Amino acid sequence: MRLIADGATPTSRLVLVKDLETDDGYAFELESPLFLAAGDRIAFEDDRLVVVRASGERLSPAGDWSTRCGPGSLQRR
C-alpha cells in the first residue's frame, strides 16, 4: 500500500507497518511493527518518523534509515 508521508494525508484504513520506503530508494525501518489506524497521518521531521493520531496525539517511533536500491544497498543512511 502506498502511504503519503506529508503530514496532512490521513491513512484510509488500518495498516501494519514495519518499514516505509521513499521514492528515492531509502527506507525507514521501524524497530518494532506499528499499527496505523484509519485517520492517522505520517510525516518525516528531522529524519525521524512522526505519527499524528486522529486524536492529535503525536508519536515518534524508533527506527533507522537504510538504502534499498543502487550502489551500497542496505547500508545505513
Side-chain angles (χ1 to χ4, degrees):
M1 175 178 185
R2 184 172 182 86
L3 299 172
I4 300 173
D6 62 1
T9 306
T11 55
S12 60
R13 61 186 168 134
L14 182 68
V15 179
L16 176 63
V17 178
K18 60 182 181 177
D19 57 23
L20 296 161
E21 293 185 27
T22 64
D23 290 337
D24 60 356
Y26 291 98
F28 187 80
E29 300 174 354
L30 293 157
E31 284 185 6
S32 59
L34 172 70
F35 277 105
L36 297 174
D40 287 353
R41 295 172 284 135
I42 59 173
F44 290 105
E45 298 174 2
D46 300 322
D47 276 345
R48 60 188 174 90
L49 176 65
V50 175
V51 178
V52 180
R53 300 282 189 198
S55 66
E57 177 187 8
R58 292 175 61 91
L59 306 172
S60 187
D64 291 310
W65 285 99
S66 65
T67 56
R68 290 287 171 97
C69 58
S73 66
L74 297 179
Q75 294 180 0
R76 299 289 176 215
R77 183 173 176 180

Short mmCIF file of all heavy atoms in Angstrom, two decimals:
data_model
loop_
_atom_site.label_atom_id
_atom_site.label_comp_id
_atom_site.label_asym_id
_atom_site.label_seq_id
_atom_site.Cartn_x
_atom_site.Cartn_y
_atom_site.Cartn_z
N MET A 1 0.85 -1.18 0.00
CA MET A 1 0.00 0.00 0.00
C MET A 1 0.89 1.24 0.00
O MET A 1 1.86 1.31 0.74
CB MET A 1 -0.89 -0.02 1.24
CG MET A 1 -1.72 1.22 1.39
SD MET A 1 -2.78 1.09 2.83
CE MET A 1 -3.68 2.58 2.64
N ARG A 2 0.55 2.19 -0.79
CA ARG A 2 1.31 3.44 -0.85
C ARG A 2 0.75 4.41 0.19
O ARG A 2 -0.43 4.73 0.18
CB ARG A 2 1.22 4.04 -2.24
CG ARG A 2 2.05 5.28 -2.41
CD ARG A 2 2.05 5.70 -3.87
NE ARG A 2 2.87 6.84 -4.09
CZ ARG A 2 4.17 6.83 -4.32
NH1 ARG A 2 4.80 5.67 -4.35
NH2 ARG A 2 4.85 7.93 -4.52
N LEU A 3 1.63 4.88 1.08
CA LEU A 3 1.26 5.86 2.08
C LEU A 3 1.93 7.18 1.74
O LEU A 3 3.08 7.20 1.32
CB LEU A 3 1.71 5.41 3.48
CG LEU A 3 1.11 4.12 3.99
CD1 LEU A 3 1.79 3.72 5.29
CD2 LEU A 3 -0.38 4.27 4.20
N ILE A 4 1.24 8.26 1.93
CA ILE A 4 1.79 9.59 1.65
C ILE A 4 2.21 10.20 2.98
O ILE A 4 1.39 10.39 3.87
CB ILE A 4 0.77 10.47 0.92
CG1 ILE A 4 0.40 9.81 -0.40
CG2 ILE A 4 1.32 11.88 0.72
CD1 ILE A 4 -0.71 10.49 -1.15
N ALA A 5 3.51 10.47 3.10
CA ALA A 5 4.07 10.98 4.36
C ALA A 5 4.24 12.49 4.30
O ALA A 5 5.34 13.01 4.45
CB ALA A 5 5.39 10.29 4.66
N ASP A 6 3.13 13.19 4.09
CA ASP A 6 3.20 14.65 4.02
C ASP A 6 2.67 15.32 5.29
O ASP A 6 2.63 16.54 5.38
CB ASP A 6 2.44 15.16 2.80
CG ASP A 6 0.95 14.83 2.83
OD1 ASP A 6 0.48 14.22 3.80
OD2 ASP A 6 0.27 15.17 1.85
N GLY A 7 2.24 14.52 6.25
CA GLY A 7 1.72 15.06 7.50
C GLY A 7 0.29 15.54 7.41
O GLY A 7 -0.30 15.93 8.42
N ALA A 8 -0.29 15.53 6.21
CA ALA A 8 -1.64 16.04 6.03
C ALA A 8 -2.62 14.99 5.52
O ALA A 8 -3.81 15.07 5.80
CB ALA A 8 -1.63 17.22 5.06
N THR A 9 -2.12 13.99 4.81
CA THR A 9 -2.98 12.98 4.20
C THR A 9 -3.23 11.85 5.17
O THR A 9 -2.30 11.16 5.58
CB THR A 9 -2.34 12.43 2.91
OG1 THR A 9 -2.03 13.52 2.04
CG2 THR A 9 -3.26 11.46 2.22
N PRO A 10 -4.48 11.62 5.58
CA PRO A 10 -4.77 10.55 6.53
C PRO A 10 -4.76 9.18 5.86
O PRO A 10 -5.05 9.05 4.68
CB PRO A 10 -6.17 10.89 7.03
CG PRO A 10 -6.79 11.67 5.92
CD PRO A 10 -5.67 12.40 5.23
N THR A 11 -4.40 8.15 6.64
CA THR A 11 -4.49 6.78 6.12
C THR A 11 -5.96 6.41 5.98
O THR A 11 -6.81 6.87 6.73
CB THR A 11 -3.79 5.78 7.07
OG1 THR A 11 -4.33 5.92 8.37
CG2 THR A 11 -2.29 6.03 7.12
N SER A 12 -6.25 5.60 4.99
CA SER A 12 -7.64 5.28 4.68
C SER A 12 -8.16 4.05 5.43
O SER A 12 -9.37 3.83 5.49
CB SER A 12 -7.81 5.06 3.18
OG SER A 12 -6.98 3.99 2.76
N ARG A 13 -7.24 3.27 5.99
CA ARG A 13 -7.65 2.05 6.69
C ARG A 13 -6.55 1.63 7.65
O ARG A 13 -5.45 2.19 7.63
CB ARG A 13 -7.94 0.92 5.71
CG ARG A 13 -6.74 0.56 4.87
CD ARG A 13 -7.08 -0.46 3.81
NE ARG A 13 -5.99 -0.57 2.88
CZ ARG A 13 -5.50 -1.71 2.46
NH1 ARG A 13 -6.01 -2.84 2.86
NH2 ARG A 13 -4.51 -1.72 1.60
N LEU A 14 -6.83 0.63 8.47
CA LEU A 14 -5.85 0.09 9.41
C LEU A 14 -4.71 -0.56 8.62
O LEU A 14 -4.95 -1.35 7.70
CB LEU A 14 -6.51 -0.95 10.32
CG LEU A 14 -5.63 -1.57 11.39
CD1 LEU A 14 -5.23 -0.54 12.43
CD2 LEU A 14 -6.37 -2.73 12.05
N VAL A 15 -3.47 -0.22 8.98
CA VAL A 15 -2.30 -0.73 8.27
C VAL A 15 -1.24 -1.13 9.29
O VAL A 15 -0.97 -0.38 10.24
CB VAL A 15 -1.70 0.36 7.34
CG1 VAL A 15 -0.47 -0.14 6.61
CG2 VAL A 15 -2.71 0.87 6.36
N LEU A 16 -0.62 -2.29 9.11
CA LEU A 16 0.52 -2.71 9.91
C LEU A 16 1.78 -2.35 9.13
O LEU A 16 1.96 -2.78 7.99
CB LEU A 16 0.47 -4.21 10.19
CG LEU A 16 1.66 -4.79 10.96
CD1 LEU A 16 1.75 -4.17 12.36
CD2 LEU A 16 1.57 -6.30 11.03
N VAL A 17 2.65 -1.55 9.75
CA VAL A 17 3.84 -1.05 9.07
C VAL A 17 5.09 -1.56 9.78
O VAL A 17 5.18 -1.49 11.00
CB VAL A 17 3.85 0.50 9.08
CG1 VAL A 17 5.10 1.04 8.43
CG2 VAL A 17 2.62 1.04 8.40
N LYS A 18 6.06 -2.06 9.01
CA LYS A 18 7.35 -2.41 9.59
C LYS A 18 8.47 -1.62 8.93
O LYS A 18 9.55 -1.48 9.49
CB LYS A 18 7.62 -3.91 9.51
CG LYS A 18 7.65 -4.50 8.14
CD LYS A 18 7.88 -5.99 8.21
CE LYS A 18 7.94 -6.56 6.80
NZ LYS A 18 8.23 -7.98 6.81
N ASP A 19 8.23 -1.10 7.74
CA ASP A 19 9.17 -0.18 7.11
C ASP A 19 8.43 0.69 6.11
O ASP A 19 7.35 0.34 5.64
CB ASP A 19 10.35 -0.90 6.47
CG ASP A 19 9.96 -1.92 5.41
OD1 ASP A 19 8.86 -1.81 4.85
OD2 ASP A 19 10.75 -2.83 5.15
N LEU A 20 9.01 1.84 5.82
CA LEU A 20 8.44 2.79 4.87
C LEU A 20 9.52 3.14 3.85
O LEU A 20 10.60 3.61 4.23
CB LEU A 20 7.98 4.06 5.58
CG LEU A 20 6.84 3.86 6.57
CD1 LEU A 20 6.76 5.02 7.53
CD2 LEU A 20 5.53 3.72 5.81
N GLU A 21 9.26 2.88 2.57
CA GLU A 21 10.21 3.20 1.51
C GLU A 21 9.87 4.54 0.89
O GLU A 21 8.71 4.87 0.70
CB GLU A 21 10.18 2.13 0.43
CG GLU A 21 10.70 0.79 0.91
CD GLU A 21 10.78 -0.23 -0.22
OE1 GLU A 21 10.93 0.18 -1.39
OE2 GLU A 21 10.67 -1.42 0.09
N THR A 22 10.91 5.29 0.55
CA THR A 22 10.72 6.57 -0.12
C THR A 22 10.90 6.37 -1.63
O THR A 22 11.43 5.35 -2.07
CB THR A 22 11.73 7.62 0.38
OG1 THR A 22 13.05 7.19 0.03
CG2 THR A 22 11.63 7.81 1.89
N ASP A 23 10.50 7.36 -2.40
CA ASP A 23 10.63 7.27 -3.85
C ASP A 23 12.08 7.33 -4.31
O ASP A 23 12.38 6.95 -5.43
CB ASP A 23 9.84 8.40 -4.53
CG ASP A 23 8.35 8.21 -4.40
OD1 ASP A 23 7.90 7.06 -4.19
OD2 ASP A 23 7.62 9.21 -4.51
N ASP A 24 12.99 7.81 -3.46
CA ASP A 24 14.39 7.94 -3.86
C ASP A 24 15.28 6.79 -3.38
O ASP A 24 16.50 6.90 -3.37
CB ASP A 24 14.96 9.29 -3.44
CG ASP A 24 14.92 9.53 -1.94
OD1 ASP A 24 14.38 8.67 -1.22
OD2 ASP A 24 15.41 10.57 -1.50
N GLY A 25 14.68 5.66 -2.98
CA GLY A 25 15.46 4.47 -2.67
C GLY A 25 15.85 4.28 -1.21
O GLY A 25 16.58 3.37 -0.88
N TYR A 26 15.38 5.13 -0.33
CA TYR A 26 15.65 4.96 1.10
C TYR A 26 14.47 4.27 1.78
O TYR A 26 13.37 4.27 1.27
CB TYR A 26 15.90 6.31 1.78
CG TYR A 26 17.19 6.96 1.36
CD1 TYR A 26 17.21 7.94 0.38
CD2 TYR A 26 18.40 6.58 1.95
CE1 TYR A 26 18.40 8.53 -0.01
CE2 TYR A 26 19.59 7.17 1.56
CZ TYR A 26 19.59 8.14 0.58
OH TYR A 26 20.76 8.72 0.20
N ALA A 27 14.74 3.72 2.94
CA ALA A 27 13.68 3.09 3.73
C ALA A 27 13.90 3.43 5.20
O ALA A 27 15.03 3.48 5.68
CB ALA A 27 13.68 1.58 3.55
N PHE A 28 12.81 3.69 5.89
CA PHE A 28 12.86 3.87 7.34
C PHE A 28 12.35 2.57 7.93
O PHE A 28 11.20 2.19 7.74
CB PHE A 28 11.98 5.04 7.78
CG PHE A 28 12.12 5.37 9.24
CD1 PHE A 28 13.19 6.12 9.69
CD2 PHE A 28 11.20 4.90 10.17
CE1 PHE A 28 13.34 6.41 11.03
CE2 PHE A 28 11.34 5.19 11.52
CZ PHE A 28 12.41 5.95 11.95
N GLU A 29 13.24 1.84 8.62
CA GLU A 29 12.92 0.54 9.19
C GLU A 29 12.62 0.71 10.67
O GLU A 29 13.49 1.08 11.45
CB GLU A 29 14.07 -0.43 8.97
CG GLU A 29 14.38 -0.64 7.50
CD GLU A 29 15.62 -1.47 7.25
OE1 GLU A 29 16.33 -1.81 8.21
OE2 GLU A 29 15.87 -1.78 6.08
N LEU A 30 11.38 0.44 11.05
CA LEU A 30 10.96 0.57 12.43
C LEU A 30 11.57 -0.52 13.30
O LEU A 30 11.73 -1.66 12.85
CB LEU A 30 9.44 0.50 12.52
CG LEU A 30 8.71 1.67 11.87
CD1 LEU A 30 7.29 1.29 11.51
CD2 LEU A 30 8.73 2.86 12.81
N GLU A 31 11.88 -0.20 14.56
CA GLU A 31 12.42 -1.19 15.49
C GLU A 31 11.38 -2.27 15.79
O GLU A 31 11.73 -3.42 16.02
CB GLU A 31 12.89 -0.53 16.78
CG GLU A 31 14.19 0.19 16.62
CD GLU A 31 14.73 0.74 17.93
OE1 GLU A 31 14.14 0.47 19.01
OE2 GLU A 31 15.72 1.46 17.87
N SER A 32 10.11 -1.89 15.82
CA SER A 32 9.03 -2.87 16.00
C SER A 32 7.85 -2.43 15.14
O SER A 32 7.67 -1.24 14.88
CB SER A 32 8.63 -2.98 17.47
OG SER A 32 8.20 -1.74 17.97
N PRO A 33 7.06 -3.39 14.66
CA PRO A 33 5.93 -3.06 13.80
C PRO A 33 4.96 -2.09 14.50
O PRO A 33 4.86 -2.06 15.73
CB PRO A 33 5.25 -4.40 13.55
CG PRO A 33 6.32 -5.40 13.77
CD PRO A 33 7.19 -4.83 14.86
N LEU A 34 4.28 -1.31 13.69
CA LEU A 34 3.38 -0.27 14.20
C LEU A 34 2.05 -0.35 13.45
O LEU A 34 2.03 -0.47 12.23
CB LEU A 34 4.02 1.10 13.96
CG LEU A 34 3.20 2.34 14.24
CD1 LEU A 34 2.98 2.49 15.75
CD2 LEU A 34 3.90 3.58 13.70
N PHE A 35 0.95 -0.29 14.18
CA PHE A 35 -0.36 -0.21 13.55
C PHE A 35 -0.69 1.26 13.33
O PHE A 35 -0.64 2.06 14.27
CB PHE A 35 -1.45 -0.85 14.42
CG PHE A 35 -1.56 -2.32 14.26
CD1 PHE A 35 -1.07 -3.17 15.25
CD2 PHE A 35 -2.15 -2.88 13.14
CE1 PHE A 35 -1.17 -4.54 15.10
CE2 PHE A 35 -2.25 -4.25 12.99
CZ PHE A 35 -1.75 -5.08 13.97
N LEU A 36 -1.04 1.60 12.10
CA LEU A 36 -1.58 2.92 11.78
C LEU A 36 -3.08 2.75 11.64
O LEU A 36 -3.54 1.91 10.86
CB LEU A 36 -0.99 3.46 10.47
CG LEU A 36 0.50 3.72 10.45
CD1 LEU A 36 0.95 4.10 9.05
CD2 LEU A 36 0.87 4.80 11.45
N ALA A 37 -3.84 3.52 12.39
CA ALA A 37 -5.30 3.45 12.32
C ALA A 37 -5.81 4.34 11.20
O ALA A 37 -5.11 5.27 10.76
CB ALA A 37 -5.91 3.88 13.65
N ALA A 38 -7.00 4.08 10.74
CA ALA A 38 -7.62 4.97 9.74
C ALA A 38 -7.67 6.37 10.32
O ALA A 38 -8.07 6.57 11.47
CB ALA A 38 -9.02 4.47 9.40
N GLY A 39 -7.22 7.33 9.56
CA GLY A 39 -7.21 8.72 10.01
C GLY A 39 -5.87 9.19 10.54
O GLY A 39 -5.65 10.39 10.72
N ASP A 40 -4.91 8.26 10.81
CA ASP A 40 -3.58 8.67 11.24
C ASP A 40 -2.86 9.34 10.08
O ASP A 40 -3.08 9.01 8.92
CB ASP A 40 -2.76 7.46 11.70
CG ASP A 40 -3.19 6.90 13.03
OD1 ASP A 40 -4.05 7.52 13.69
OD2 ASP A 40 -2.67 5.85 13.41
N ARG A 41 -1.98 10.28 10.41
CA ARG A 41 -1.16 10.96 9.41
C ARG A 41 0.30 10.72 9.75
O ARG A 41 0.67 10.66 10.92
CB ARG A 41 -1.47 12.45 9.40
CG ARG A 41 -2.90 12.74 8.96
CD ARG A 41 -3.29 14.20 9.14
NE ARG A 41 -3.53 14.43 10.56
CZ ARG A 41 -3.07 15.48 11.24
NH1 ARG A 41 -2.36 16.40 10.66
NH2 ARG A 41 -3.33 15.61 12.53
N ILE A 42 1.15 10.58 8.73
CA ILE A 42 2.58 10.36 8.96
C ILE A 42 3.39 11.41 8.23
O ILE A 42 2.96 11.95 7.21
CB ILE A 42 3.02 8.94 8.53
CG1 ILE A 42 2.73 8.71 7.04
CG2 ILE A 42 2.36 7.89 9.39
CD1 ILE A 42 3.29 7.40 6.52
N ALA A 43 4.58 11.68 8.78
CA ALA A 43 5.50 12.63 8.17
C ALA A 43 6.91 12.31 8.65
O ALA A 43 7.09 11.61 9.65
CB ALA A 43 5.13 14.06 8.55
N PHE A 44 7.88 12.81 7.93
CA PHE A 44 9.27 12.72 8.36
C PHE A 44 9.71 14.12 8.76
O PHE A 44 9.63 15.05 7.96
CB PHE A 44 10.17 12.16 7.25
CG PHE A 44 9.90 10.71 6.98
CD1 PHE A 44 9.21 10.32 5.86
CD2 PHE A 44 10.33 9.74 7.88
CE1 PHE A 44 8.94 8.98 5.62
CE2 PHE A 44 10.07 8.40 7.65
CZ PHE A 44 9.38 8.02 6.52
N GLU A 45 10.12 14.27 10.01
CA GLU A 45 10.59 15.55 10.54
C GLU A 45 11.98 15.34 11.12
O GLU A 45 12.16 14.50 11.99
CB GLU A 45 9.64 16.07 11.61
CG GLU A 45 8.24 16.34 11.11
CD GLU A 45 7.27 16.73 12.22
OE1 GLU A 45 7.70 16.81 13.39
OE2 GLU A 45 6.08 16.93 11.91
N ASP A 46 12.95 16.10 10.62
CA ASP A 46 14.34 15.96 11.10
C ASP A 46 14.82 14.52 11.01
O ASP A 46 15.40 13.98 11.96
CB ASP A 46 14.48 16.49 12.53
CG ASP A 46 14.12 17.96 12.63
OD1 ASP A 46 14.45 18.72 11.70
OD2 ASP A 46 13.51 18.35 13.64
N ASP A 47 14.55 13.85 9.90
CA ASP A 47 14.97 12.47 9.63
C ASP A 47 14.37 11.44 10.58
O ASP A 47 14.91 10.36 10.76
CB ASP A 47 16.49 12.35 9.62
CG ASP A 47 17.08 12.72 8.28
OD1 ASP A 47 16.32 12.79 7.30
OD2 ASP A 47 18.30 12.92 8.21
N ARG A 48 13.25 11.75 11.22
CA ARG A 48 12.58 10.75 12.05
C ARG A 48 11.11 10.70 11.66
O ARG A 48 10.55 11.66 11.15
CB ARG A 48 12.75 11.03 13.54
CG ARG A 48 12.21 12.34 13.99
CD ARG A 48 12.59 12.61 15.46
NE ARG A 48 12.16 13.95 15.81
CZ ARG A 48 10.98 14.26 16.31
NH1 ARG A 48 10.10 13.31 16.55
NH2 ARG A 48 10.66 15.49 16.59
N LEU A 49 10.50 9.56 11.89
CA LEU A 49 9.10 9.36 11.57
C LEU A 49 8.24 9.96 12.67
O LEU A 49 8.51 9.76 13.85
CB LEU A 49 8.79 7.87 11.43
CG LEU A 49 7.34 7.49 11.18
CD1 LEU A 49 6.87 8.01 9.82
CD2 LEU A 49 7.15 6.00 11.28
N VAL A 50 7.20 10.70 12.28
CA VAL A 50 6.24 11.24 13.22
C VAL A 50 4.86 10.77 12.79
O VAL A 50 4.49 10.88 11.62
CB VAL A 50 6.29 12.78 13.26
CG1 VAL A 50 5.20 13.33 14.14
CG2 VAL A 50 7.66 13.26 13.73
N VAL A 51 4.11 10.21 13.74
CA VAL A 51 2.75 9.76 13.50
C VAL A 51 1.83 10.66 14.31
O VAL A 51 2.04 10.85 15.51
CB VAL A 51 2.55 8.30 13.94
CG1 VAL A 51 1.10 7.87 13.74
CG2 VAL A 51 3.49 7.37 13.20
N VAL A 52 0.84 11.25 13.65
CA VAL A 52 -0.16 12.06 14.34
C VAL A 52 -1.46 11.29 14.29
O VAL A 52 -2.02 11.06 13.21
CB VAL A 52 -0.31 13.46 13.70
CG1 VAL A 52 -1.36 14.27 14.45
CG2 VAL A 52 1.02 14.19 13.67
N ARG A 53 -1.91 10.85 15.46
CA ARG A 53 -3.15 10.10 15.56
C ARG A 53 -4.34 11.03 15.32
O ARG A 53 -4.23 12.25 15.45
CB ARG A 53 -3.29 9.46 16.95
CG ARG A 53 -2.19 8.51 17.31
CD ARG A 53 -2.39 7.20 16.63
NE ARG A 53 -1.44 6.21 17.14
CZ ARG A 53 -1.17 5.11 16.51
NH1 ARG A 53 -1.75 4.83 15.36
NH2 ARG A 53 -0.30 4.25 17.00
N ALA A 54 -5.47 10.46 14.98
CA ALA A 54 -6.68 11.25 14.74
C ALA A 54 -7.05 12.07 15.98
O ALA A 54 -7.63 13.15 15.88
CB ALA A 54 -7.84 10.34 14.33
N SER A 55 -6.65 11.58 17.17
CA SER A 55 -6.94 12.28 18.42
C SER A 55 -6.02 13.48 18.64
O SER A 55 -6.22 14.26 19.55
CB SER A 55 -6.77 11.31 19.60
OG SER A 55 -5.41 10.93 19.72
N GLY A 56 -4.97 13.60 17.81
CA GLY A 56 -3.99 14.68 17.97
C GLY A 56 -2.72 14.24 18.66
O GLY A 56 -1.73 14.97 18.68
N GLU A 57 -2.72 13.04 19.24
CA GLU A 57 -1.52 12.51 19.90
C GLU A 57 -0.41 12.34 18.87
O GLU A 57 -0.64 11.88 17.75
CB GLU A 57 -1.86 11.15 20.53
CG GLU A 57 -0.67 10.47 21.17
CD GLU A 57 -0.99 9.05 21.64
OE1 GLU A 57 -2.09 8.54 21.34
OE2 GLU A 57 -0.13 8.47 22.29
N ARG A 58 0.82 12.73 19.24
CA ARG A 58 1.98 12.60 18.36
C ARG A 58 2.90 11.52 18.87
O ARG A 58 3.24 11.50 20.05
CB ARG A 58 2.74 13.92 18.27
CG ARG A 58 1.98 15.01 17.55
CD ARG A 58 2.72 16.33 17.61
NE ARG A 58 4.02 16.29 16.98
CZ ARG A 58 4.27 16.58 15.70
NH1 ARG A 58 3.28 16.92 14.90
NH2 ARG A 58 5.49 16.53 15.23
N LEU A 59 3.32 10.62 17.98
CA LEU A 59 4.26 9.55 18.30
C LEU A 59 5.48 9.69 17.42
O LEU A 59 5.38 10.15 16.28
CB LEU A 59 3.64 8.18 18.04
CG LEU A 59 2.31 7.84 18.68
CD1 LEU A 59 1.80 6.51 18.13
CD2 LEU A 59 2.46 7.77 20.17
N SER A 60 6.62 9.28 17.93
CA SER A 60 7.84 9.24 17.13
C SER A 60 8.51 7.88 17.33
O SER A 60 9.41 7.73 18.15
CB SER A 60 8.78 10.38 17.54
OG SER A 60 9.87 10.43 16.66
N PRO A 61 8.04 6.87 16.59
CA PRO A 61 8.57 5.52 16.76
C PRO A 61 10.05 5.43 16.39
O PRO A 61 10.51 6.10 15.45
CB PRO A 61 7.74 4.67 15.82
CG PRO A 61 6.74 5.55 15.19
CD PRO A 61 7.04 6.95 15.57
N ALA A 62 10.79 4.60 17.12
CA ALA A 62 12.22 4.42 16.87
C ALA A 62 12.43 3.59 15.60
O ALA A 62 11.65 2.70 15.27
CB ALA A 62 12.86 3.72 18.06
N GLY A 63 13.51 3.90 14.90
CA GLY A 63 13.87 3.17 13.70
C GLY A 63 15.13 3.74 13.09
O GLY A 63 15.70 4.71 13.60
N ASP A 64 15.58 3.14 12.00
CA ASP A 64 16.80 3.55 11.31
C ASP A 64 16.55 3.66 9.82
O ASP A 64 15.71 2.96 9.26
CB ASP A 64 17.92 2.51 11.52
CG ASP A 64 18.43 2.49 12.94
OD1 ASP A 64 18.75 3.57 13.48
OD2 ASP A 64 18.51 1.38 13.50
N TRP A 65 17.33 4.51 9.17
CA TRP A 65 17.29 4.66 7.72
C TRP A 65 18.25 3.68 7.06
O TRP A 65 19.31 3.38 7.60
CB TRP A 65 17.70 6.08 7.33
CG TRP A 65 16.66 7.10 7.58
CD1 TRP A 65 16.59 7.93 8.66
CD2 TRP A 65 15.54 7.40 6.76
NE1 TRP A 65 15.48 8.74 8.56
CE2 TRP A 65 14.83 8.44 7.39
CE3 TRP A 65 15.06 6.91 5.55
CZ2 TRP A 65 13.67 8.98 6.85
CZ3 TRP A 65 13.92 7.45 5.01
CH2 TRP A 65 13.23 8.47 5.65
N SER A 66 17.89 3.20 5.88
CA SER A 66 18.77 2.38 5.06
C SER A 66 18.43 2.65 3.61
O SER A 66 17.45 3.31 3.30
CB SER A 66 18.59 0.88 5.37
OG SER A 66 17.30 0.46 5.02
N THR A 67 19.31 2.17 2.71
CA THR A 67 19.02 2.28 1.28
C THR A 67 18.51 0.94 0.79
O THR A 67 18.86 -0.11 1.32
CB THR A 67 20.26 2.70 0.47
OG1 THR A 67 21.31 1.78 0.72
CG2 THR A 67 20.72 4.10 0.83
N ARG A 68 17.68 0.97 -0.24
CA ARG A 68 17.09 -0.26 -0.77
C ARG A 68 17.54 -0.59 -2.18
O ARG A 68 17.39 -1.69 -2.64
CB ARG A 68 15.56 -0.14 -0.79
CG ARG A 68 14.96 -0.15 0.59
CD ARG A 68 15.04 -1.56 1.15
NE ARG A 68 14.69 -1.62 2.54
CZ ARG A 68 13.51 -1.96 3.00
NH1 ARG A 68 12.53 -2.25 2.18
NH2 ARG A 68 13.28 -2.00 4.29
N CYS A 69 18.09 0.37 -2.90
CA CYS A 69 18.47 0.09 -4.27
C CYS A 69 19.71 0.90 -4.63
O CYS A 69 20.06 1.87 -3.97
CB CYS A 69 17.35 0.41 -5.24
SG CYS A 69 16.78 2.10 -5.19
N GLY A 70 20.37 0.48 -5.67
CA GLY A 70 21.55 1.19 -6.13
C GLY A 70 22.80 0.74 -5.40
O GLY A 70 22.79 -0.16 -4.58
N PRO A 71 23.92 1.39 -5.72
CA PRO A 71 25.20 1.03 -5.08
C PRO A 71 25.11 1.17 -3.56
O PRO A 71 24.56 2.13 -3.05
CB PRO A 71 26.18 2.03 -5.66
CG PRO A 71 25.52 2.59 -6.88
CD PRO A 71 24.04 2.47 -6.65
N GLY A 72 25.63 0.19 -2.87
CA GLY A 72 25.64 0.23 -1.42
C GLY A 72 24.30 -0.04 -0.79
O GLY A 72 24.01 0.42 0.30
N SER A 73 23.43 -0.77 -1.49
CA SER A 73 22.11 -1.02 -0.95
C SER A 73 22.19 -1.72 0.40
O SER A 73 23.14 -2.44 0.69
CB SER A 73 21.26 -1.82 -1.92
OG SER A 73 21.80 -3.10 -2.09
N LEU A 74 21.20 -1.47 1.21
CA LEU A 74 21.07 -1.98 2.57
C LEU A 74 22.09 -1.40 3.53
O LEU A 74 22.34 -1.93 4.58
CB LEU A 74 21.10 -3.50 2.61
CG LEU A 74 19.94 -4.17 1.87
CD1 LEU A 74 20.06 -5.68 1.94
CD2 LEU A 74 18.59 -3.73 2.42
N GLN A 75 22.71 -0.30 3.17
CA GLN A 75 23.59 0.41 4.11
C GLN A 75 22.78 1.45 4.86
O GLN A 75 21.78 1.94 4.35
CB GLN A 75 24.73 1.09 3.36
CG GLN A 75 25.68 0.11 2.71
CD GLN A 75 26.79 0.84 2.00
OE1 GLN A 75 26.86 2.06 1.98
NE2 GLN A 75 27.68 0.07 1.39
N ARG A 76 23.22 1.76 6.05
CA ARG A 76 22.55 2.78 6.85
C ARG A 76 22.77 4.14 6.26
O ARG A 76 23.82 4.45 5.73
CB ARG A 76 23.04 2.74 8.29
CG ARG A 76 22.76 1.43 8.98
CD ARG A 76 21.30 1.30 9.25
NE ARG A 76 21.02 -0.01 9.83
CZ ARG A 76 19.93 -0.68 9.59
NH1 ARG A 76 19.01 -0.24 8.80
NH2 ARG A 76 19.73 -1.84 10.15
N ARG A 77 21.78 5.00 6.37
CA ARG A 77 21.83 6.36 5.86
C ARG A 77 22.69 7.21 6.74
O ARG A 77 22.73 7.14 7.90
CB ARG A 77 20.40 6.91 5.83
CG ARG A 77 20.27 8.27 5.25
CD ARG A 77 18.82 8.60 5.12
NE ARG A 77 18.64 9.95 4.65
CZ ARG A 77 17.49 10.51 4.44
NH1 ARG A 77 16.40 9.81 4.62
NH2 ARG A 77 17.39 11.72 4.03
#
